[in-house]
Amino acid sequence: MPLSSHRRVAVSATLIAALAAGVTPATSAFAAPSTPAAATPATTTPAVPAPDMDGVAAALDAAMANGAPGAMARFSGPTGVKSRTAGVQDRVSGTPMDIQSRFRIGSVSKTFSTVVLLQLVEEGRLELDQPVNTYLPGLLPDDRITVRHLLTHRSGLADYTNAMFANTVPGFEAVRNRVFSYQELVDLSLSEPRTTQPGVSYQYSNANFVVVGMLIEKLTGKPVATAYEHRIFKPLKLRNTSYVHPETRIKGAHVRGYLHPDEAGGALVDSTEQTVSWAQSAGAVISNPADLNTFTSALLRGRLLSPAMMEAMTTVTPTDAANTRFYGLGLRRYNLSCGTQVFGHTGTVQGFYTYTFSTRDGRRSLSAMANTSNRGVANTALGGVLEPAFCGKKPAPAASSRAAAPSAARDLTSLPAERDLPERH
């Protein structure tokens, strides 16, 4: 890591230590001359709402009511860590959900891949607005597709998983133990029509981050696993986070994942063991809630990237017409009903849904998981953890509420979850 990155780590570590001790860093507001409170208009930072953990627990229960065997969530903030669990992490043994257990995080892996690639940009190894073919000659049929287009899902490369998992369980079983090369996955994408012209519109595609993995390996000369380990996992001491492709097992205490078949009422399929080779740098990382909170908090605090690169990463465009959900460089932004903006990613891999988000200052973070998939209603229910975690308990409606102005942002719980993989239910 460049020397400047070490300086950022040192400064941020000091800040984190201060926050943990309950000390607020000094600002110019505290340096002002002493004056009677009544003589000067108050300039105060808006109070941060306490997380409504009962509301978080209700969202976990709702995910279970909609088909998840279990769910869990972990919130970290200035006042400490709070967590909730529900249901089981193993349907056979009946083991209760454990907040320490590891699981497959699916497309949250895209943010890890983005961080590595942006560090390479900072090191001068590539440029965001250069064509991908500059670095991987002849890979793509269109020289207009840039590195930035990959990270923002605006390349137009078709998502091969739509065809691969058109029939959910048979599609999964066909690739459960298969090992793909990156080139094979790119070829699957290129065999289908492109979804848009480069740069025109957002079209989510796992193919984009397969190419990101190819760029990382070409520029570093090493596997993506090595890049993750040396650039993120070890510096942040993420001891429960790993990239084990193409091994199929999750080592240590872990959650088992359960895939819903397309047929209504069909038996759940244990999808825990798999290579995740169909995703690789687009979705094969394994982690747990504490490590995910550490990762998103460190990222948003600037411990992994320079301020200029963080500005680029958090510059977003809408992903739908609701004006509450956006995408930057490998990073989602959600606008919550209380006005708070949170940054992070959602993740889907067979048997697991994941949400991991932090406020822009990195001071408050939430990670949540439900051990099921192909069950969109459970995914939407799990997303209900964000509002109570970051906005706190909703006030009781006032008598004059009919005349009140509408909220600037919709409650995300009223919107269906964004899909990272095809959903049948």
Side-chain angles (χ1 to χ4, degrees), residues 114 118 128 148 151-152 209 309 312-315 327-331:
T114 300
L118 293 182
L128 286 173
R148 190 186 300 272
L151 297 177
T152 57
F209 280 81
M309 203 55 67
M313 193 177 191
T314 56
T315 298
Y327 207 89
L329 302 182
L331 200 66

Side-chain angles (χ1 to χ4, degrees), residues 373-387:
S373 69
N374 196 36
R375 196 75 175 176
V377 289
N379 194 7
T380 297
L382 183 66
V385 297
L386 296 175
E387 287 279 340

